[in-house]
Structure formats: structure tokens, C-alpha cells
Amino acid sequence: MSIWTSLYTGSSGLSTLGQAIGVVGDNIANTSTVGFKASRASFRDMIGGAAPNGQRLGTGVRFAGAQVGFGQGSVMQTGAGLDFAIQGGGFFVVNGSHEGMNGTFLTRDGRFQLDKEGFLVTSNGLKVQGYSVDTNGQISASSGDMQLGAQNAPVATSNVDLSVNLDASAPVLPPWDPANPGATSNYSSSVTVYDSLGAEHRVDLHFRSDGNGAWSWYAMVDGGELTGGTPGQPTEIASGSLSFTPEGLLDVQTVNASSADFIGATPGQSITFDFGDALSQGGTGQSGTTQYAGAFNLRSTAQDGFGAGELVNVSVAPDGTVTGIFSNGQSRPMAQLALASVRSEDGLRRAGGQLFQATQASGEPLLGAAGTGSRGAVVAGALESSNVDLSNELVTLIAYQRAFQANARTVSTADEMLAEVANLKR
């Protein structure tokens, strides 16, 4: 090896270690960056000509690149509804334009938000990919942009469940008069129902004793809420009968008619009024409506309709299923996050902004639900912190610094030797 070669050997070390220190500096700078994955510098030796014994001589070192380490970062709880972390393998999948590049990117940064159109996006506007879920709970087979900002459609009331105690000593009143329900019924109460448009309607229920354990009931609404009705005039939309055993147990319940034509809604809306587990239906006769001595008591009511609702919050299950919580008190699965795995994580290319792109070396991303294959679980209300080990980086930085100083010494020594050669002429 000539003196000139020694000079260039030391120079290669200076250049390579300068790049390696840059890798360490990048790691240290991103100690607090959410979803960041630390890199480590790789080196390769360089070979020159052959020595007299046949061995090839080393001529220095070169920088072989930075290898990203995809080890798990610690999971930090944030409490934010749209913050997600992955515990285990896999990546979130996002799509869009980033720094002039269009396409699909992978990331461990789960800081998401909703845009003005209701799409789940990253902080720089890339759309998060997932599987849509229809109102019947069926998950789509293909992934796409996740849209969560939809309304929850209204559902018309079809069933009303009631638990009532009717006074066994109630007197028999004059015949039922729909125009004067207050004077021709023993008791009354009300329940709210919904039409197909989600509009609320108050239904007044009137109970009339027919004597000997027999009762009639009538469901009335204001005629102004019905097609062709008269405002202020109570109009019957359903009626039926109840009969009780001498022990006050519900024996038989019947519905004579049930049909409501609410204005603008689906006509002929039928509502089933269920007063409990009648003996004739195989029930106990006492867990719903009863006829015991004592005051009228409406114990409970429940109905299955609701109005339209706006999305107010979301919850996320470990398998990535996103459940929307709406202003009408309802909740339903809306989408499922897609996670990607690749055959070789080392083959992924950094794209900046905690994003990675698939290459031929990594293989194409394989999308699926969290918890399947090598994909980890989704942790809601949390973020994955950087996996940089600061103490290790500082130790590595010191080692590189010392190596840099040693290579600088090699260069200065070669320079001194060349100066001595130049002085031989004197």
C-alpha cells in the first residue's frame, strides 16, 4: 500500500463516518417523533490491488446505507378518539399525494382525524384505508378510503313494549269515545314513537276496564300528524284488548288493528304493542302487565325506533373495527381499519413523514384485519412513540467520533510522510 493509498484510505473513513454520524443525528432528532423507526449505519470495506502474497489489500471503507429497525416503540395513552397505535407487527395503510409522490404508503403513525367530507385522514391529508361495514354489519371484501362522517339513518318504530299495573278495582265507564278519551278511559299514559323519516310522534295510550278482568286499550295521536287528519283531534292508530286471571296475571293480549299514516312518511306504519309474557303465549303472566289491586302504575316502556343522528364519537376494537357513536344514542360498526404486512420490512423505502413505500425488495403489501397473520392489534386512544434508544445512540455517537478522530490521524500521518518524501530532495 502506497502513502497515497493510505491518504485516501483515511479520507474514505472520514467521509463514511461523517455519514454514519448523520444517521445517529437523525435518530436523536426524532427521539420524540410519533411512529419513528430508528436506523443504523452499515459499512462495507473496499479492496484494492493484490499484495505479494496474493492477498488483496484493503483500501478503506464505504457507507453501505442505513438499515431501519422496525422494533416496537412504547405505546403512549393519549385518550384521543382518533389516535391509534399498533401493538405488534403491521402498518397502517394510507393513500394520496406526499411530497410529489402519489400512491399507497405504510406508516406506524396513528395520528388521524376526520376531514370536512368525513374521511379518516392523516395530519397531511392522506386517506386511511380500511373496509366499509354496511348497516347489516357485513364487511366489504375490498379496502378503500374510510369515510366515517355519515349520518345514522332513522328507523321507524315497529314494536313498543310496556309494563303496566292496572287497578283491579277500576270501575266500568261509559262506552269508548275517541273524541272524548279522557272521560271514557280509566287511565292513560304516553310513549314516543318514530316514523320512517325519524320524526317523533307522541302516542297516548288509554286503558278502559270492561269488567271481570277484561280491558281495552287504544293508541291515539293528534290528527294533525296524520295524512288527512284534523289538528287537535285525537285519532286512533291502534287498539286491542287484555284479559287477566283472578290472580291478576296477564292471560291473553290481542291487537285489533294497528296502522298509522304519518305525514310524509311511509304509509300504513304498523306498530306492535306488547304488554308482556301472557299465559296464553307460554309466559308467566306477571313479568309485564298485571292487574293487581292498587293505583295505576306504568313501570316501563321501550320502543325500537329512533331518529337520524350525527356522528359524535368513535370507539375502536383491537381488530380495528370502528364503531360510530351518534347523537341519537345509537351506535353501529362503520368500518374496519386495514393493516398491511410485507415479506421483508428491510426492503421498505423511507418516504419521509414516518411513511414507507413498498419496493420489489419488500414485496407488495398484504392487507388484512388486525390480529390476523403477522398483524398486531389496534390500540385505541394511544400512539406508538419513537423506538429510538437515546442512551445507545449517544454511546454510538461517541464511538463514531473516536473512529473519525482516528481516521483523521491516518490522514495527517500520511500527510507528514509525504512531506518527508518531498524533503528528501533538499
Side-chain angles (χ1 to χ4, degrees):
M1 178 184 294
S2 68
I3 299 175
W4 284 105
T5 302
S6 298
L7 187 65
Y8 286 110
T9 298
S11 175
S12 71
L14 294 176
S15 175
T16 298
L17 287 164
Q19 295 180 75
I21 290 173
V23 173
V24 175
D26 179 53
N27 291 341
I28 294 175
N30 286 282
T31 301
S32 299
T33 302
V34 173
F36 179 80
K37 298 302 178 183
S39 301
R40 66 178 182 181
S42 296
F43 309 96
R44 291 180 182 173
D45 66 335
M46 295 189 295
I47 300 298
N53 63 357
Q55 289 290 339
R56 299 188 65 184
L57 298 175
T59 57
V61 65
R62 63 180 176 179
F63 186 68
Q67 182 182 19
V68 180
F70 290 93
Q72 176 78 47
S74 60
V75 174
M76 308 175 296
Q77 295 295 325
T78 67
L82 294 179
D83 282 350
F84 306 133
I86 301 175
Q87 187 71 55
F91 300 85
F92 297 113
V93 185
V94 297
N95 188 66
S97 177
H98 171 70
E99 297 183 354
M101 298 179 290
N102 293 307
T104 298
F105 302 89
L106 308 180
T107 184
R108 297 279 292 197
D109 183 356
R111 293 175 295 176
F112 301 144
Q113 59 194 35
L114 292 179
D115 67 8
K116 63 180 180 181
E117 297 176 340
F119 287 100
L120 191 64
V121 298
T122 64
S123 57
N124 52 0
L126 299 177
K127 293 182 177 178
V128 181
Q129 303 298 289
Y131 304 97
S132 62
V133 180
D134 63 23
T135 54
N136 295 320
Q138 295 297 314
I139 302 175
S140 65
S142 58
S143 62
D145 299 341
M146 290 181 63
Q147 189 172 24
L148 304 179
Q151 282 189 326
N152 190 33
V155 171
T157 300
S158 60
N159 292 283
V160 175
D161 297 326
L162 301 103
S163 177
V164 184
N165 182 65
L166 301 173
D167 188 356
S169 62
V172 178
L173 300 177
W176 167 250
D177 182 3
N180 189 16
T184 56
S185 64
N186 299 90
Y187 310 110
S188 65
S189 186
S190 63
V191 62
T192 298
V193 300
Y194 295 85
D195 63 25
S196 60
L197 299 176
E200 294 185 9
H201 301 277
R202 170 177 166 169
V203 177
D204 292 320
L205 290 166
H206 298 273
F207 299 89
R208 181 182 182 279
S209 174
D210 297 322
N212 298 319
W215 289 77
S216 299
W217 60 266
Y218 306 90
M220 314 287 289
V221 299
D222 189 303
E225 301 180 18
L226 301 172
T227 301
T230 302
Q233 178 178 320
T235 304
E236 185 179 303
I237 62 168
S239 63
S241 62
L242 305 170
S243 63
F244 298 88
T245 67
E247 293 78 23
L249 305 179
L250 179 61
D251 188 17
V252 179
Q253 60 174 327
T254 61
V255 177
N256 299 329
S258 178
S259 180
D261 296 335
F262 294 114
I263 295 176
T266 302
Q269 179 177 341
S270 177
I271 302 175
T272 300
F273 292 86
D274 188 348
F275 292 89
D277 58 343
L279 293 171
S280 61
Q281 298 172 321
T284 64
Q286 61 181 353
S287 64
T289 297
T290 57
Q291 182 193 244
Y292 297 140
F296 172 80
N297 180 22
L298 179 63
R299 290 187 286 256
S300 67
T301 63
Q303 56 85 37
D304 58 359
F306 50 83
E310 299 290 339
L311 183 69
V312 295
N313 203 354
V314 297
S315 63
V316 182
D319 67 352
T321 299
V322 180
T323 298
I325 302 171
F326 297 88
S327 58
N328 59 3
Q330 302 298 309
S331 63
R332 65 176 177 85
M334 301 184 67
Q336 185 178 36
L337 285 164
L339 297 189
S341 61
V342 293
R343 291 187 180 277
S344 174
E345 293 180 338
D346 292 335
L348 292 173
R349 179 172 61 238
R350 290 178 64 180
Q354 296 93 275
L355 300 175
F356 296 90
Q357 281 186 305
T359 65
Q360 287 187 340
S362 68
E364 288 299 313
L366 304 175
L367 273 63
T372 62
S374 60
R375 306 171 190 90
V378 174
V379 182
L383 294 173
E384 181 184 3
S385 62
S386 169
N387 69 348
V388 173
D389 184 338
L390 186 57
S391 61
N392 181 68
E393 297 298 329
L394 293 174
V395 171
T396 302
L397 183 62
I398 293 172
Y400 287 164
Q401 182 184 15
R402 295 305 182 198
F404 186 91
Q405 293 171 340
N407 278 272
R409 184 61 180 166
T410 300
V411 172
S412 64
T413 300
D415 176 58
E416 293 173 0
M417 294 172 67
L418 287 171
E420 289 294 328
V421 172
N423 289 331
L424 289 176
K425 184 179 178 181
R426 297 179 182 178

